Amino acid sequence: MARRTLVVAPVLAVVAGSLFLFSLSRGSTTLVAADVIGAFGFHAGELVHDFSFKDVNGDRGTLSGLLAGNQALVIAIRTTECPVSQKYGHRIARIEKEYAERGVAFAYLDVSPQDTEEKIRADLEIFGFQGPYIPDPEGVIGALFQAKVSTEIFVVDAAHTLRYRGAVDDQFGITFSNPVVRNEYLRDALESVLAGEDVDVVETEASGCYLQTTEDRLPERDLTYNTRVSRIVQQNCVTCHREGGVGPFALDSYQQVFGFRQMIKFMVEERRMPPWFASPEHGEWKNDRSLSERDRRDLLAWIEAGAPEGDPVTPPLARNFIKGWQLDEEPDTIFQLPEPQDVPAEGVLDYRYVYVKTDFAEDKWIEKAEALPSAQQGGYTGGVTHHIIVYLEGPEDEERGAFLVGWAPGVPPMAYPEGSGKKLPKGAWLMFELHYTPNGVATTDQTMVGFTFADGRPEDAVETTAVATTEFEIPAHASNHEVVAEQEFERGGRILGLLPHMHLRGKAFRYELVRADGSKEVVLDVPNYDFNWQLFYEFQEPLVVRPGDVFRGRAWYDNSEGNPANPDPGIPVGYGKQSFEEMMFGFYDWIPERRAKPRAEDN
């Protein structure tokens, strides 16, 4: 699952002991890309360097000492005069007590120069915090974390890696006080760390009092593999590039990363890895796999500096990778290719299409789905299954069927929102689109797809449709031929995600939404479409459409000699199912509004 960053609410500024309104907004939650919060300067996944401190009682300690014997450390920023800080005081104390026996330590960091020892001791007496309370009026320790807000929380694991930063939860802020907690960010992060799992939401912007900036006190750090790059690679690469993974080589040690550093440089500079082709200028995506700009910059700078290993520090905790199904439970039903697919040691293979008939006597509703190749051998050879897409399509169908689920290295299973599902009609056919890439070792694959079904018909039905056209011809030698399709929405609804689909001449694809009032927005822009990566782009929050809105798909094709994948630039190309022909499909999954039930007098 992709790591997520959230912006929650406004803050107040604390400058020279005074409070100023920093921004005003409603208390709603908005999702943003991680690098939007660039002002933080210190992100989840980075190494927290050791530091020493003296608490309000005069006792000395270190970060290493706080973590000794514990699985995690929570550092809570405090100021004694911020109203939001006071609202969260008792709650943080309760969470501290709850997790104390589970190996979680707490420490409290006061970076406000106006907070006297008397005020700090009063804060301790009111709320009963058990962990050390650390005055930091110079902001020296606060600079290490680039703390910005008086209610911020930092979760550090046993390997000194920052796993979460942000709000305790989403109940209180400067301009709002919600009746209930909707998102338990701190508790969720702690549960994931204690379970040895990835944290889902890794950064939120806390609402509170804005702190005096500490950026000028941030100590300089050497950019080395041990201090920075090992954690970048672990977060973004080893899901596939590890011993036993589906990547063609492992990147789980300094020696491996150093040996492939020039290849890494090329793929990162060209933005080919990690595979993600959506322009960052448009849209916010739940499954965004791209490098943040800071990670990208640091990785390339490290390579340019000679890729130094650096002095030993605490390495990041090993990630736990799921073997077999990634669904949180065994699928209710599994369909497998009827015969193993032979994959030779060498050559370039055409796409394969295999049809499987389901055997249900009644309609089923899919809540979760996952495609799983059996040919995932790792080691130095990597896997041979490049990607899989499963469609609702029979062997006699002329048109491309509805998209069900896809698989590519590192792609999580498909899970629809709670209370929704996709219809699997009784007796339906499944069409497996299979792309194999020989790797020097002959093998076989017998891919499966697993479905978890809802109990009965869910409240909301997910449908797959497309803004598409089959009426086009791409001239011979054309290098930038555009094909446009439009679709007007008769019903409103919520669009969950998008999958642009073209073939070998596909060059770029863009989804545009033209509102009924004439306004237009780019929903997804894929400026460098790659037929070899059939990616589904899942919205962070569903895109709401209304009756009268128009969905427009714009596709560009390169049928020239300059396209190295072009089968034959000397002929015009039209619609067809084969990869040497072309398609123009802008698939999307959505939940349309239900049609109004007819009144009895209308019948």
Side-chain angles (χ1 to χ4, degrees):
M1 181 177 292
R3 297 179 304 147
R4 292 189 291 158
T5 300
L6 300 150
V7 167
V8 177
V11 295
L12 289 183
V14 179
V15 181
S18 301
L19 298 179
F20 296 91
L21 191 61
F22 184 72
S23 65
L24 283 174
S25 68
R26 298 180 65 85
S28 58
T29 298
T30 306
L31 300 175
V32 300
D35 50 330
V36 170
I37 309 183
F40 279 172
F42 185 61
H43 295 287
E46 296 190 33
L47 172 69
V48 181
H49 290 270
D50 207 358
F51 60 84
S52 59
F53 62 85
K54 184 170 68 173
D55 69 15
V56 70
N57 296 319
D59 296 328
R60 297 186 178 276
T62 63
L63 172 70
S64 298
L66 291 172
L67 278 168
N70 291 306
Q71 296 188 59
L73 167 67
V74 174
I75 297 178
I77 303 299
R78 294 293 297 169
T79 59
T80 66
E81 296 180 338
C82 178
V84 187
S85 296
Q86 301 310 299
K87 288 183 179 181
Y88 275 110
H90 288 298
R91 182 164 302 170
I92 296 172
R94 286 195 296 270
I95 295 174
E96 177 184 21
K97 184 177 180 180
E98 177 184 342
Y99 282 89
E101 295 182 356
R102 299 180 63 186
V104 179
F106 275 66
Y108 300 88
L109 184 66
D110 190 316
V111 298
S112 300
Q114 72 272 20
D115 280 351
T116 63
E117 180 180 339
E118 182 181 7
K119 291 179 180 179
I120 290 175
R121 291 194 180 280
D123 203 45
L124 269 169
E125 183 177 351
I126 292 170
F127 299 112
F129 304 126
Q130 297 301 305
Y133 203 124
I134 306 166
D136 185 31
E138 300 291 329
V140 175
I141 300 174
L144 296 175
F145 292 92
Q146 288 296 277
K148 298 291 181 181
V149 183
S150 64
T151 57
E152 275 190 291
I153 296 290
F154 298 85
V155 177
V156 184
D157 69 20
H160 293 211
T161 301
L162 181 65
R163 301 294 297 278
Y164 169 78
R165 72 170 294 168
V168 175
D169 54 46
D170 59 359
Q171 186 169 16
F172 300 127
I174 292 295
T175 61
F176 65 92
S177 182
N178 292 316
V180 296
V181 175
R182 293 167 295 184
N183 293 285
E184 296 266 16
Y185 301 126
L186 174 56
R187 290 180 186 274
D188 290 346
L190 288 175
E191 291 297 330
S192 295
V193 172
L194 293 175
E197 300 173 349
D198 293 342
V199 176
D200 180 13
V201 178
V202 297
E203 293 182 6
T204 64
E205 186 178 344
S207 177
C209 302
Y210 196 66
L211 304 174
Q212 210 168 0
T213 180
T214 54
E215 292 180 1
D216 57 336
R217 299 182 179 91
L218 184 64
E220 292 187 5
R221 301 290 187 186
D222 292 333
L223 181 60
T224 70
Y225 177 82
N226 288 331
T227 61
R228 181 85 171 94
V229 173
S230 62
R231 286 167 166 79
I232 296 175
V233 172
Q234 189 194 59
Q235 292 173 30
N236 297 281
C237 308
V238 300
T239 301
C240 302
H241 291 275
R242 57 188 165 86
E243 194 67 30
V246 296
F249 48 79
L251 292 174
D252 49 12
S253 70
Y254 171 72
Q255 289 74 21
Q256 286 292 113
V257 175
F258 182 82
F260 284 104
R261 65 191 183 282
Q262 292 303 323
M263 186 64 185
I264 294 171
K265 177 183 177 182
F266 170 77
M267 299 300 280
V268 171
E269 284 183 336
E270 296 293 318
R271 300 184 186 272
R272 298 188 183 186
M273 285 287 160
W276 184 259
F277 307 109
S279 168
E281 297 181 10
H282 308 284
E284 297 161 1
W285 311 101
K286 188 175 182 179
N287 58 337
D288 190 340
R289 304 171 68 193
S290 61
L291 283 174
S292 71
E293 282 304 311
R294 186 176 186 216
D295 285 351
R296 183 175 183 272
R297 181 180 65 248
D298 285 354
L299 184 55
L300 293 175
W302 173 73
I303 295 172
E304 285 296 317
E309 183 176 12
D311 295 331
V313 297
T314 305
L317 297 176
R319 294 180 62 182
N320 294 326
F321 293 101
I322 301 172
K323 294 182 180 179
W325 301 102
Q326 297 183 68
L327 295 168
D328 51 14
E329 56 186 348
E330 191 77 14
D332 293 334
T333 298
I334 298 171
F335 293 97
Q336 189 168 29
L337 301 182
E339 301 291 338
Q341 297 293 304
D342 292 323
V343 182
E346 300 178 283
V348 178
L349 304 183
D350 289 335
Y351 277 39
R352 297 182 186 176
Y353 301 96
V354 179
Y355 295 88
V356 175
K357 187 76 160 57
T358 66
D359 54 2
F360 297 115
E362 59 183 7
D363 296 342
K364 295 285 188 178
W365 293 88
I366 301 169
E367 285 186 330
K368 301 176 183 178
E370 181 179 359
L372 182 67
S374 63
Q376 292 192 64
Q377 75 275 13
Y380 74 94
T381 58
V384 299
T385 307
H386 185 276
H387 80 259
I388 303 161
I389 298 182
V390 181
Y391 295 97
L392 270 177
E393 181 179 328
E396 304 301 323
D397 294 340
E398 292 294 329
E399 301 294 333
R400 174 63 74 230
F403 168 83
L404 274 185
V405 63
W407 178 93
V411 172
M414 179 70 71
Y416 296 114
E418 185 176 354
S420 68
K422 181 175 287 188
K423 183 178 178 181
L424 180 66
K426 61 181 181 182
W429 282 91
L430 305 178
M431 189 271 278
F432 290 74
E433 177 185 284
L434 305 161
H435 182 196
Y436 298 114
T437 53
N439 60 12
V441 179
T443 188
T444 61
D445 171 67
Q446 199 166 3
T447 284
M448 300 178 287
V449 63
F451 298 126
T452 298
F453 296 124
D455 295 329
R457 190 191 192 284
E459 180 70 20
D460 295 319
V462 179
E463 298 180 6
T464 298
T465 186
V467 52
T469 180
T470 60
E471 302 297 325
F472 62 87
E473 183 176 84
I474 305 167
H477 307 292
S479 63
N480 195 41
H481 183 74
E482 183 180 13
V483 175
V484 179
E486 291 186 346
Q487 177 191 67
E488 182 174 345
F489 290 98
E490 297 181 359
R491 289 184 287 168
R494 293 169 287 154
I495 298 179
L496 306 177
L498 312 169
L499 189 147
H501 181 72
M502 301 181 286
H503 287 170
L504 292 169
R505 295 169 176 84
K507 181 178 181 179
F509 201 102
R510 183 182 299 158
Y511 290 81
E512 298 173 350
L513 182 61
V514 183
R515 297 291 186 181
D517 63 5
S519 61
K520 183 178 73 172
E521 61 181 297
V522 176
V523 174
L524 168 66
D525 185 26
V526 181
N528 296 295
Y529 176 83
D530 189 338
F531 177 59
N532 293 306
W533 290 98
Q534 300 286 320
L535 299 184
F536 182 79
Y537 299 89
E538 184 178 0
F539 285 108
Q540 192 73 271
E541 290 293 324
L543 175 68
V544 176
V545 294
R546 303 174 182 85
D549 291 347
V550 173
F551 221 15
R552 179 182 296 152
R554 301 165 68 95
W556 290 267
Y557 299 85
D558 185 353
N559 193 24
S560 73
E561 294 82 354
N563 177 2
N566 193 347
D568 187 350
I571 60 172
V573 182
Y575 174 83
K577 280 191 173 184
Q578 300 303 314
S579 59
F580 56 81
E581 299 169 309
E582 268 306 333
M583 285 188 174
M584 192 284 184
F585 283 94
F587 289 111
Y588 58 93
D589 274 357
W590 76 314
I591 299 175
E593 294 176 349
R594 289 192 176 187
R595 299 184 186 277
K597 294 182 179 180
R599 297 175 300 174
E601 56 266 30
D602 294 334
N603 294 332

